[in-house]
Amino acid sequence: MIPGGGQPNMQQLLQQAQKMQQDLANAQEELARTEVDGQAGGGLVKATVTGSGELRALVIDPKAVDPEDTETLADLIVAAVQAANENAQTLQQQKLGPLTQGLGGGSGIPGLPF
């Protein structure tokens, strides 16, 4: 029983849900605009991704290029992109974590990467 015998204010609940949805959309837009970096080989390869994980740039120092050993270069590129994506995931958790906790604990929400 609700104190005072009244029903929950459905309009207020809907407004709260809409605000949470808008806050989440705003955070996702901010993530899509924010760029984070990752590097490998002591900075010989640097990758830049958005906070949502889209690869935006890849910088390869000429010292990392050995025509006889392209395998090492490929490994450095993969490592740099992975490092950038890990940084993007950390940023996602910082930006979206507080918002998703209000929606059920921060996990199990379709469409979110964590």
Side-chain angles (χ1 to χ4, degrees):
M1 171 152 285
I2 297 175
Q7 293 293 320
N9 184 337
M10 291 305 287
Q11 183 66 28
Q12 185 178 17
L13 290 174
L14 284 173
Q15 286 175 348
Q16 287 175 343
Q18 287 173 337
K19 182 184 181 325
M20 287 175 64
Q21 186 177 19
Q22 185 61 46
D23 289 348
L24 187 58
N26 289 343
Q28 288 172 326
E29 286 176 23
E30 184 179 342
L31 283 171
R33 289 189 309 265
T34 303
E35 293 184 347
V36 293
D37 295 320
Q39 61 178 336
L44 289 176
V45 176
K46 297 176 185 173
T48 302
V49 299
T50 64
S52 57
E54 179 186 342
L55 182 62
R56 287 285 176 93
L58 187 62
V59 177
I60 302 170
D61 187 305
K63 290 181 239 162
V65 180
D66 178 356
E68 302 298 318
D69 185 14
T70 58
E71 206 171 289
T72 297
L73 178 57
D75 289 344
L76 289 173
I77 292 168
V78 169
V81 172
Q82 286 176 337
N85 279 325
E86 287 172 9
N87 291 336
Q89 287 180 344
T90 299
L91 183 63
Q92 288 172 2
Q93 290 173 354
Q94 290 171 353
K95 295 284 184 189
L96 300 178
L99 296 172
T100 59
Q101 286 178 358
L103 297 172
S107 63
I109 298 172
L112 293 181
F114 52 90

